[in-house]
Amino acid sequence: PEDAQIVPSVWSLRRKRNLTTNAITKHKARLNLHGGKQIYGMNYYETYAPVVTWFAIRLMIIFAIIFRWSLRQVDFVMAYPQAPIEMDIYMELPQGIETAQGNSKDYVLKLLKNIYGQKQAGRVWNEYLVEKLRSIGFNQSLVDDCVFYRNDTIFMVYVDDGIFIGSDDDLLQEAIKDLRELKLKIEDQGHPADYVGVNIRKTKDGSYEFTQRALIDSIIKDVGVTDSKSKPVPAKVSLQLHAFKDDLPFDQHFDYCSAVGKLNYLAQTTRPDIMYATHQVAKYSSDPRQTHGEAIEYLVRYLKRTRDLGLSFKPDASKGFECYCDADFSGNWNKALAPVDPSTAKSRSGWIIFYAGCPVCWASKLQTQVALSTTEAEYIAMSMALRDVIPVMNLIKEIKSKGFSVICNKPHVYCKVFEDNSGALELARLPKLRPRTKHINVCYHHFREHVRKGLIKIFPIDTKDQIADTLTKALAQNSFVKLRKFMCGQ
């Protein structure tokens, strides 16, 4: 058509590696559409596509260990082109392709399938897959859009990688067979080994280990830490990072933003022990200074020392749902920098959520508003943590309502929250207004109804035993290693 936009084509070449050895296992060449040249309203509209949350993945693995469920990993081969194209799109002939008559200016390609590179390709594929799953009896979760239930089978999908979990392996094979009968190209990869960049290993005692050695090796190589020096902690206790505007700009002897991106993925998937240090260096990615580059090198030297460390899942059925939350009140305060960097006045929240003694979710974040007291900082941290807790509780309730077994010592799912500040404890338990706390916005009281109903119970804990402490500040080696063992199981 005369008014159609002709979108360029792009060849994508990559090497696929083994997540344990980092050895090249496959060379891939893929013809993509140049999505960056698409025009909104002409050849795309909505682009958002959901993926399964990591807390759901970890939670299901914990259930699988405790109740001895079967697991099977599947891969949808060339997933996106399995879905039909959403609308008419025309693409330039790819480089290296010639026509018998004319040239690439005379001919274009009309897409018939949902090829890679489109802005909306992920969403189109997800909608197509959900429709197929529903047609064979799977029901979509109301908590996580990428979790599905059918009888005694649960299916989780992260773009084109899925995991089936169920009480019997025959049920899982039946579900895979049903998908194949719908003309979906699906590869049964057996027991999960490498899922979304994470190596999953089942040990002799039935527990699981999540590690990312190949990613750590890649970070070490990128940053260029080639000597034998290593560090026992991820961040210096004596150094508070700030903008360092008087410092020399980072010389870019390694790609700062790329290193931060890899560290962030590592911290969010298998290494909660580096969450605080990673967030600190990520904060200055737009204008890194020499000191920030040195902080990354220090963190990488710690990773070099703990290369084999990851998450160890050894569920304790006697434990239920627990959340440890903490705050560092104005921990980055700097009088000299306050006029130019107001964020130095903000406190940092840190929390980690456990189920059956295994970590399922964690975070380290600066608070969005300036807290006026330790009590307020701790209360805000508790409120932020429980915004993660409540959806996880809802997912467990949903799994239970579908007839699956869950660890639940009471008739309902509830959570223990451990807080080391007496003021925050009292403020959460009792709806009292005092001059120093009545200004706290109502949005931070969202969990009080859960406390009133007994769905959330808050307990005091000694600061020395507060696991979330390592998510709010840099700690000395002895304290850090002690808390890391609780978080990672190693």
Side-chain angles (χ1 to χ4, degrees):
E2 292 182 2
D3 59 346
Q5 182 203 11
I6 312 303
V7 185
S9 58
V10 178
W11 283 107
S12 172
L13 308 174
R14 61 178 295 231
R15 293 167 293 185
K16 203 163 185 179
R17 296 179 180 271
N18 183 290
L19 293 182
T20 305
T21 64
N22 212 28
I24 297 172
T25 58
K26 187 187 294 184
H27 290 79
K28 299 179 74 173
R30 179 180 288 157
L31 179 61
N32 293 350
L33 186 82
H34 192 329
K37 298 293 185 179
Q38 287 182 260
I39 299 174
Y40 179 78
M42 179 177 288
N43 46 37
Y44 84 94
Y45 292 98
E46 297 298 325
T47 60
Y48 172 74
V51 295
V52 67
T53 55
W54 268 105
F55 76 72
I57 296 171
R58 298 186 190 107
L59 201 60
M60 299 303 179
I61 294 293
I62 294 168
F63 287 144
I65 300 171
I66 295 171
F67 302 113
R68 302 185 184 280
W69 292 350
S70 298
L71 288 88
R72 276 195 174 272
Q73 183 174 345
V74 295
D75 176 58
F76 292 93
V77 182
M78 289 294 291
Y80 287 5
Q82 294 192 43
I85 195 73
E86 183 182 38
M87 60 182 67
D88 288 347
I89 297 179
Y90 299 88
M91 183 177 74
E92 291 179 359
L93 286 173
Q95 186 177 353
I97 300 297
E98 298 179 356
T99 57
Q101 298 176 346
N103 54 44
S104 59
K105 294 183 179 179
D106 298 323
Y107 293 91
V108 297
L109 298 175
K110 180 180 179 181
L111 299 184
L112 303 178
K113 291 291 184 178
N114 176 53
I115 73 168
Y116 287 85
Q118 299 174 85
K119 287 181 179 291
Q120 73 269 39
R123 184 184 63 83
V124 172
W125 157 247
N126 178 263
E127 289 182 348
Y128 179 75
L129 178 61
V130 170
E131 181 185 340
K132 293 292 185 182
L133 288 167
R134 283 175 173 163
S135 71
I136 58 173
F138 277 94
N139 296 313
Q140 193 171 18
S141 167
L142 298 176
V143 180
D144 190 316
D145 288 338
C146 291
V147 175
F148 301 85
Y149 309 97
R150 186 179 80 167
N151 300 328
D152 290 340
T153 304
I154 298 174
F155 178 59
M156 303 178 293
V157 62
Y158 192 108
V159 188
D160 59 352
D161 289 311
I163 292 182
F164 284 96
I165 300 176
S167 57
D168 187 85
D169 193 61
D170 291 339
L171 291 174
L172 309 188
Q173 293 189 35
E174 182 184 343
I176 295 171
K177 179 174 174 286
D178 290 344
L179 286 175
R180 284 178 174 153
E181 289 177 352
L182 295 174
K183 306 302 181 184
L184 285 172
K185 295 178 183 177
I186 184 171
E187 179 187 352
D188 184 355
Q189 298 180 329
H191 195 277
D194 300 327
Y195 190 69
V196 200
V198 177
N199 183 254
I200 302 174
R201 187 175 72 90
K202 187 176 182 179
T203 60
K204 292 180 180 179
D205 61 0
S207 62
Y208 281 72
E209 287 183 355
F210 284 27
T211 55
Q212 290 175 285
R213 298 181 186 89
L215 179 57
I216 292 174
D217 289 341
S218 173
I219 295 170
I220 293 171
K221 182 180 178 182
D222 289 353
V223 176
V225 178
T226 56
D227 55 44
S228 58
K229 294 180 181 177
S230 63
K231 300 296 180 182
V233 292
K236 292 181 181 178
V237 180
S238 58
L239 176 66
Q240 286 286 355
L241 287 185
H242 54 79
F244 292 109
K245 291 297 184 183
D246 296 332
D247 202 354
L248 291 172
F250 180 60
D251 60 11
Q252 294 295 334
H253 64 274
F254 63 84
D255 190 329
Y256 190 97
C257 290
S258 175
V260 166
K262 291 183 177 182
L263 286 167
N264 192 44
Y265 186 67
L266 179 66
Q268 290 186 13
T269 49
T270 61
R271 295 296 297 269
D273 55 319
I274 67 167
M275 196 74 199
Y276 166 77
T278 299
H279 194 278
Q280 284 287 80
V281 295
K283 185 180 175 183
Y284 304 101
S285 296
S286 61
D287 184 21
R289 299 289 166 157
Q290 204 64 36
T291 307
H292 303 136
E294 292 170 1
I296 287 186
E297 290 177 350
Y298 192 97
L299 172 52
V300 173
R301 291 186 189 281
Y302 167 73
L303 290 176
K304 194 171 184 179
R305 183 168 181 159
T306 58
R307 175 181 173 272
D308 296 327
L309 189 68
L311 294 180
S312 180
F313 284 4
K314 299 177 181 177
D316 182 352
S318 66
K319 293 184 178 180
F321 198 20
E322 299 174 341
C323 173
Y324 293 81
C325 56
D326 196 17
D328 183 26
F329 175 56
S330 298
N332 288 326
W333 170 252
N334 187 305
K335 183 178 180 180
L337 293 173
V340 294
D341 186 7
S343 68
T344 61
K346 291 182 179 178
S347 305
R348 177 173 291 274
S349 299
W351 63 89
I352 183 166
I353 302 166
F354 291 88
Y355 188 72
C358 301
V360 294
C361 186
W362 56 84
S364 175
K365 297 181 180 179
L366 274 181
Q367 295 179 0
T368 55
Q369 69 182 62
V370 177
L372 304 182
S373 65
T374 304
T375 294
E376 185 178 350
E378 296 277 359
Y379 189 79
I380 292 173
M382 192 188 306
S383 176
M384 293 172 69
L386 291 173
R387 292 176 202 179
D388 275 350
V389 165
I390 293 170
V392 181
M393 289 177 66
N394 290 338
L395 181 61
I396 297 174
K397 289 179 184 177
E398 184 179 69
I399 294 169
K400 184 182 178 185
S401 70
K402 299 294 182 181
F404 293 91
S405 299
V406 299
I407 301 172
C408 188
N409 296 328
K410 294 202 171 188
H412 52 257
V413 178
Y414 81 107
C415 177
K416 296 178 181 177
V417 179
F418 295 95
E419 172 58 56
D420 61 1
N421 182 272
S422 58
L425 278 164
E426 187 174 353
L427 191 59
R429 290 170 173 167
L430 304 171
K432 293 181 180 179
L433 293 179
R434 293 182 172 79
R436 294 190 65 187
T437 57
K438 66 182 180 181
H439 66 282
I440 296 179
N441 195 298
V442 70
C443 70
Y444 290 112
H445 296 308
H446 68 96
F447 60 89
R448 273 187 173 168
E449 186 67 10
H450 287 72
V451 175
R452 187 184 67 79
K453 291 179 178 178
L455 299 175
I456 292 174
K457 293 187 178 181
I458 304 170
F459 300 90
I461 190 172
D462 194 289
T463 302
K464 297 193 296 295
D465 299 320
Q466 177 56 275
I467 300 173
D469 198 28
T470 191
L471 297 168
T472 63
K473 63 178 78 71
L475 299 178
Q477 182 178 352
N478 289 345
S479 299
F480 176 80
V481 172
K482 172 189 171 183
L483 298 178
R484 183 186 70 191
K485 188 172 182 179
F486 285 105
M487 285 196 300
C488 299
Q490 304 179 49

